Structures are given as structure tokens and as C-alpha cells.
Amino acid sequence: MTLDFAFLDWNVVSSFILKGLVFSVQLTLIAMVGGIVLGTVLALMRLSGKPWLVMPAAAYVNTMRSIPLVMVILWFFLLIPLLLGRPMGAELSAMVTFTLFEAAYFSEIMRAGIQSVPKGQVHAGYAVGMTYGQTMQLIVLPQAFRNMLPVLLTQTIILFQDTSLVYAIGAYDLLKGFEIAGKNFNRPVETYLVAAVVYFVICFSLSMLVRRLQQKIAIIR
């Protein structure tokens, strides 16, 4: 069999692939922002020292981290409509699923970041009359975000790679766009090869940017 990539012109890219790329990026950004916000809340719950906050947060994080993402995607897609009594749609279901799933991983990253801030700074905040909330908001969390920024961005790159799993519920992501183009032109091998190259270029480029950011943060410290 001879490989032929000539059919992958701009018309094919704009008709099939760009739509999927836009959704993959959109899904990544929504899940990243939502996951970091929810993950920070979970991290604060686990560090609160109060059993009624620690136990449900720990149970949530450990459960999500112990289940394959593709199973969580399928569960939400199939079960949520039964609970709501109406279909949710593959795209919306993917956004909710990824946000809730990634929150468990971002939670552990943020928990490590919060614990990396010296305890003396926390005690200093209390000494000047700050409450727990003020100390976290003004002293601890800004430093934790800065310390963990490279790791948060690395997890986001992994998240972008994982968006290809929404293929399981028929959502139109980047991989789905390549698949449809391959079927329409009867060139599945070529399209999957190009898809792999595109994912590699995007993720490798972002990884290099994260590495440079990590070096700059290390210099600032």
C-alpha cells in the first residue's frame, strides 16, 4: 500500500479538522480552569484538619484517581441523562466529566503546593491578625500557584492528550475530525499518522514552553 497525503489540503483541514481542534482546545481550557478551582477547594478541605471536610474530599479524590478516565466518561454520558430525564449531549457531558475528573488531580497538585509554603509565613499571617481565609488567600495560595504552575501546566498538556478519549461518546474532537476525513477519502492510515504528528507537535511545543517557564521561576526563587 502506498501512502498518499495529497488529499489533506486546506479545504479538508478547514472542513473536518479545525472544528475538532477548536473543541479539543475549548474542552482543555474549561476543564483546566474548572478543575483548578474545584481542585483548590478540595485541597483546602483536605488540609483543614476537620474530619467532616477531610473525609469526603479524600474519598472523592481517591475514587476519581482510581478509575480509568474513559470509564468515567462513559458513566457520565450514559447515567446522567437517566437522572435528568433528558439527553445531555456529548460535548456538554465531556466538559462536565473532564472538569470533575481533573479536579482530583489538580487537588493533589495544589495540596502539595500549599504544603510547600513555609509554615512560618502562615504563623506570621496569624500574628498580624489575619484569619485562616485571609492567610490562605493573600499569603499561601499565591505562592502555591507560583510554585506549582509548571506542574499545573504539565497536567494541562496531559489533559489535552486525554481529550481524544471523548471519541468513545462520539464528541467531535480533534481525533474525530481526522477520523471523519479519513473515512470520507478512504485514507484512514494517513489521517491517523498525521493526527499523531499533530498531537506530538502541539504537546511537545507546549512542554518546551513549560520547561522554559520552570527555569524562569527557578531563577526568581
Side-chain angles (χ1 to χ4, degrees):
M1 183 182 67
T2 303
L3 297 179
D4 181 12
F5 298 92
F7 73 98
L8 281 171
D9 56 14
W10 173 247
N11 289 330
V12 173
V13 172
S14 60
S15 300
F16 300 102
I17 298 169
L18 278 184
K19 177 183 175 181
L21 176 61
V22 168
F23 176 72
S24 292
V25 172
Q26 183 183 36
L27 176 58
T28 300
L29 294 176
I30 291 174
M32 177 191 69
V33 174
I36 289 176
V37 172
L38 181 56
T40 301
V41 173
L42 291 169
L44 292 174
M45 290 173 64
R46 296 193 69 179
L47 294 171
S48 66
K50 300 176 181 179
W52 59 279
L53 290 176
V54 174
M55 293 180 65
Y60 179 91
V61 171
N62 292 330
T63 299
M64 284 295 189
R65 285 167 59 89
S66 301
I67 302 175
L69 174 56
V70 67
M71 291 184 63
V72 179
I73 293 173
L74 290 171
W75 285 351
F76 271 84
F77 182 68
L78 296 174
L79 295 180
I80 296 300
L82 294 178
L83 298 176
L84 296 179
R86 58 185 178 84
M88 195 173 181
E91 284 75 15
L92 180 58
S93 177
M95 291 178 185
V96 174
T97 302
F98 270 78
T99 298
L100 296 178
F101 186 85
E102 291 299 323
Y105 288 85
F106 284 122
S107 170
E108 292 298 275
I109 295 172
M110 288 308 304
R111 186 160 70 103
I114 292 172
Q115 291 177 325
S116 71
V117 178
K119 295 292 184 182
Q121 297 193 31
V122 177
H123 297 318
Y126 292 152
V128 297
M130 287 185 177
T131 63
Y132 174 80
Q134 290 173 328
T135 302
M136 283 291 171
Q137 180 181 357
L138 300 176
I139 298 178
V140 177
L141 287 180
Q143 295 184 71
F145 274 111
R146 187 192 67 184
N147 294 342
M148 293 294 104
L149 186 57
V151 185
L152 291 171
L153 293 177
T154 299
Q155 180 62 33
T156 302
I157 295 173
I158 297 173
L159 166 58
F160 175 76
Q161 295 171 343
D162 288 344
T163 58
S164 61
L165 293 176
V166 300
Y167 173 94
I169 58 175
Y172 201 114
D173 69 314
L174 179 59
L175 183 60
K176 186 71 172 180
F178 276 108
E179 183 209 15
I180 292 176
K183 286 183 177 179
N184 284 357
F185 291 90
N186 196 28
R187 290 290 179 179
V189 176
E190 288 89 337
T191 51
Y192 282 124
L193 284 174
V194 175
V197 171
V198 170
Y199 274 102
F200 172 79
V201 170
I202 293 174
C203 295
F204 183 77
S205 300
L206 292 175
S207 297
M208 291 299 99
L209 291 176
V210 170
R211 183 174 298 180
R212 292 185 62 182
L213 176 63
Q214 190 172 16
Q215 291 172 349
K216 289 184 178 181
I217 291 177
I219 293 173
I220 293 174
R221 290 178 184 172

